[in-house]
Amino acid sequence: MDCVICKNGTTKIGLVNVPVVRDDKIIFIKNIPAQICNNCGEYYLESEVAKEVYEKANERMNQGVEIEVTQYMPANS
């Protein structure tokens, strides 16, 4: 797909690391599959993947975790 940010690049499948920040808490999730622009580096998550990432981060923050680094694990694995 064409990058909607830089308008010059195209995306390819790769892995990204995403920090989810809320107030003074941060959950850093590694190795998330995404479409990544070969020009500017902007990434795009599939809607189901994004939902899983944010649900996991919110769950951990609601459990009192303030800082965490974890690997992405798809819900269906």
Side-chain angles (χ1 to χ4, degrees), residues 6 12 15 19 28-31 49 54-55 57-58 62-64 68-69:
C6 74
K12 65 177 183 169
L15 299 174
F28 195 78
I29 303 175
K30 298 169 44 176
N31 299 319
V49 171
Y54 292 113
E55 283 178 355
N58 284 327
N62 290 338
Q63 292 171 346
E68 181 172 84
V69 177

Side-chain angles (χ1 to χ4, degrees), residues 1-11 35 37-38 44:
M1 75 184 235
D2 293 332
C3 181
V4 299
I5 301 300
C6 74
K7 310 258 191 276
N8 295 314
T10 57
T11 62
Q35 291 284 334
C37 177
N38 64 352
Y44 304 88

Side-chain angles (χ1 to χ4, degrees), residues 59-75:
E59 175 186 311
R60 297 298 290 146
M61 288 176 185
N62 290 338
Q63 292 171 346
V65 174
E66 292 185 15
I67 300 173
E68 181 172 84
V69 177
T70 188
Q71 296 284 329
Y72 172 73
M73 298 298 271

